[in-house]
Amino acid sequence: IRDAVEGATRVQHTVRDLKTFSRVDEPERVALDLKRFVSSTLRIAGTALRHRVKVTTELADVPAVLGGEARLGQVVLNLVLNAAEASGRSGTVQVMTEGDGREAVIHVDDNGPGVEPADRELIFEPFLTRRRQGNGLGLAVVKSVVDGHGGSVAVGRAPIGGARFTVRIPRRVAVRREA
């Protein structure tokens, strides 16, 4: 019975997570709890990552940000899947959150070869890819979504040796309008 309950709970979480990502049009931005939100996104990516890389997290409790859940989910998902691919078999991907009253920050690190300094701005251009597979749109989508939320995305060297993608989203509070 315990196994059935655990299985049903996992299915319930998966269905809820997939519903979040299936929203095509997202006109409304909501207050997002980054810790819950990133955890949910990693559960979705879990099956694709489980046998490829080790994923570790350090998810701090940070102030909520106002954002589109499905679109920001795409950002985290793209960055984590790219990090896994860059790390190769038995690599490591670290996902961390931090922030303050002004902004929330998501770091996605890998222990792959990293990104050459000359390529750090170019990699966000559409259709640019250094991989055999892929169309070169993943990081362009990441940049577009983050820019649309008034934030920024940058790449540098990760403490674990590969690339570190850092997403900064300004903290905005929803304003209630009186009728």
Side-chain angles (χ1 to χ4, degrees), residues 49-179:
L49 302 174
R50 187 171 298 131
H51 302 292
R52 294 173 57 188
V53 295
K54 177 182 177 186
V55 178
T56 62
T57 60
E58 290 179 33
L59 305 178
D61 290 317
V62 299
V65 296
L66 193 62
E69 193 169 15
R71 299 293 286 163
L72 286 176
Q74 272 186 298
V75 167
V76 174
L77 192 60
N78 281 350
L79 292 177
V80 168
L81 293 176
N82 281 354
E85 186 172 321
S87 296
R89 289 266 181 227
S90 69
T92 300
V93 174
Q94 290 182 338
V95 181
M96 295 164 281
T97 60
E98 62 182 4
D100 56 27
R102 293 177 294 119
E103 67 181 1
V105 180
I106 303 169
H107 298 289
V108 178
D109 298 350
D110 66 61
N111 66 342
V115 178
E116 293 296 323
D119 291 338
R120 288 185 181 164
E121 288 301 317
L122 296 174
I123 62 172
F124 297 105
E125 294 296 320
F127 306 112
L128 177 76
T129 183
R130 303 273 192 254
R131 300 180 300 178
R132 287 178 290 209
Q133 291 182 315
N135 56 20
L137 289 175
L139 292 176
V141 168
V142 165
K143 182 160 178 30
S144 174
V145 170
V146 172
D147 287 351
H149 281 77
S152 66
V153 60
V155 62
R157 193 82 175 142
I160 61 173
R164 167 175 272 189
F165 283 83
T166 300
V167 173
R168 296 179 181 282
I169 304 291
R171 184 168 182 271
R172 294 195 174 109
V173 179
V175 177
R176 289 183 107 158
R177 294 189 179 159
E178 299 295 324

Side-chain angles (χ1 to χ4, degrees), residues 37-53:
F37 167 73
V38 171
S39 294
S40 172
T41 303
L42 292 175
R43 276 195 304 274
I44 289 174
T47 53
L49 302 174
R50 187 171 298 131
H51 302 292
R52 294 173 57 188
V53 295

Side-chain angles (χ1 to χ4, degrees), residues 17-36:
D17 295 342
L18 289 173
K19 283 172 58 179
T20 296
F21 283 99
S22 67
R23 294 183 192 135
V24 178
D25 194 16
E26 196 173 39
E28 186 176 322
R29 293 188 178 181
V30 297
L32 296 176
D33 173 346
L34 230 54
K35 188 174 188 177
R36 185 196 62 76

